[in-house]
């Protein structure tokens, strides 16, 4: 794989987002009163799982992907074999880490093995969820929030608590808003592909307002439940996401301009 292609895919497949998900787990642990150092291997669960989910989703491809991300779609097709191999390794790593965490004590909670498969069930139904406005945001928000809390519980063998429920709700609002934020950027292509999202239904201005309100609501949840320090950590996480999203858009524009130049000179 060419270095330029690997760099482009790192941003456009949101691999950076998968890596940053470990920060979500650490923040969740602090919000639930857990020392992040005690989470250990639990910090690997989210990056491994989301890498598998994102690569599998991108490899599937859709009509709107052809319009919104033509260069990415071509690269995904070119490197189908390599991407498939890495996503299967990530899934295997996820399941192995879950087993190690569950069976590291004599009082293993085997039900955690079943809970670990919940995100994969959501992935299996995601093609159906994307057909309807808001359901894709709800599905993604649920999955990210669930994994953030589950990773802490599985690694530390804590009981599910009201703090965990609050952390789940805070991340749900934030990640669901993130989905609609990306949908705002893809309104034109989604419309041409006859796909309706909540962002497309509301329009860019109203959808942007909704995104800000949802993220602010998530921040308030963390502030109320865990105090200013944790809310500040969530804000730092959101700022990091903003930086990487800007870099992603930059790589996307550069790829589009290069493609246009090749077409002109061809």
């Amino acid at each position: 794989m060419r270095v330029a292609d690997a760099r482009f895919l790192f941003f456009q497949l949101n691999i950076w987002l998968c890596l940053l998900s470990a920060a979500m787990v650490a923040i969740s642990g602090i919000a639930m009163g857990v020392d992040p150092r005690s989470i250990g291997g639990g910090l690997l669960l989210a990056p491994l799982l989301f890498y598998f989910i994102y690569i599998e989703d991108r490899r599937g491809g859709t009509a709107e992907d052809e319009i919104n991300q033509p260069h990415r779609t071509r690269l995904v097709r070119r490197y189908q074999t390599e991407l498939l191999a890495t996503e299967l390794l990530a899934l295997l790593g996820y399941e192995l880490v879950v087993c190690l965490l569950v069976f590291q004590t004599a009082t293993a909670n085997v039900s955690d093995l079943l809970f670990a498969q919940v995100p994969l069930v959501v992935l299996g139904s995601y093609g159906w969820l994307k057909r309807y406005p808001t359901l894709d945001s709800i599905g993604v928000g649920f999955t990210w929030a669930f994994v953030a809390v589950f990773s802490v519980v599985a690694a530390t063998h804590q009981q599910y608590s009201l703090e965990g429920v609050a952390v789940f709700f805070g991340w749900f609002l934030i990640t669901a808003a993130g989905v609609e934020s990306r949908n705002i950027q893809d309104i034109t292509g989604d419309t041409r592909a006859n796909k309706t999202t909540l962002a497309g239904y509301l329009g860019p201005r109203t959808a942007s307002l909704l995104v800000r309100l949802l993220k602010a609501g998530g921040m308030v949840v963390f502030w109320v439940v865990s105090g200013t320090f944790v809310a500040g950590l969530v804000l730092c996480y959101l700022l990091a996401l903003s930086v990487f999203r800007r870099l992603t858009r930059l790589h996307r524009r550069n790829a589009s301009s290069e493609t246009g130049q090749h077409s002109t000179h061809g």
Side-chain angles (χ1 to χ4, degrees), residues 91-117:
L91 178 61
L92 177 62
Y94 171 76
E95 298 291 357
L96 286 175
V97 173
V98 168
C99 289
L100 289 173
L101 292 176
V102 169
F103 294 110
Q104 67 183 352
T105 65
T107 58
N109 186 0
V110 182
S111 62
D112 282 341
L113 291 177
L114 297 178
F115 287 142
Q117 312 313 314

Side-chain angles (χ1 to χ4, degrees), residues 17-18 20-21 24 50 54 139-149 171 175 237:
L17 185 59
C18 302
L20 285 177
S21 64
M24 280 182 63
F50 289 127
Y54 272 67
V140 172
F142 170 85
T143 303
W144 278 78
F146 176 86
V147 173
V149 175
W171 285 128
T175 51
Y237 171 78

Side-chain angles (χ1 to χ4, degrees), residues 32-43:
M32 296 165 63
V34 172
D35 186 341
R37 292 172 294 184
S38 68
I39 299 175
L43 295 173

Side-chain angles (χ1 to χ4, degrees), residues 17 30 68 73 195 199:
L17 185 59
I30 297 172
N68 293 322
T73 302
K195 176 187 175 183

Side-chain angles (χ1 to χ4, degrees), residues 116 148 185 214 236 240 251 265:
Q185 301 173 32
L214 290 175
C236 290
H251 278 77
H265 294 149

Side-chain angles (χ1 to χ4, degrees), residues 192-257:
R192 290 172 57 188
N194 294 319
K195 176 187 175 183
T196 304
T197 63
L198 181 61
Y201 179 76
L202 295 176
R205 182 174 299 180
T206 304
S208 296
L209 176 60
L210 175 63
V211 166
R212 289 193 289 270
L213 288 175
L214 290 175
K215 289 183 178 180
M219 290 279 297
V220 169
V221 170
F222 280 102
W223 176 67
V224 170
V225 173
S226 305
T228 305
F229 177 67
V230 173
L233 291 177
V234 174
L235 177 60
C236 290
Y237 171 78
L238 292 175
L239 290 175
L241 293 186
S242 178
V243 170
F244 275 98
R245 286 199 177 102
R246 288 179 182 274
L247 291 173
T248 299
R249 288 195 290 270
L250 178 63
H251 278 77
R252 183 175 175 177
R253 285 197 297 268
N254 289 342
S256 298
S257 62

Side-chain angles (χ1 to χ4, degrees), residues 153-173:
V153 173
T156 60
H157 299 280
Q158 284 201 340
Q159 297 296 318
Y160 290 98
S161 61
L162 289 178
E163 288 81 5
V165 173
V167 170
F168 169 89
F169 185 60
W171 285 128
F172 173 80
L173 292 176

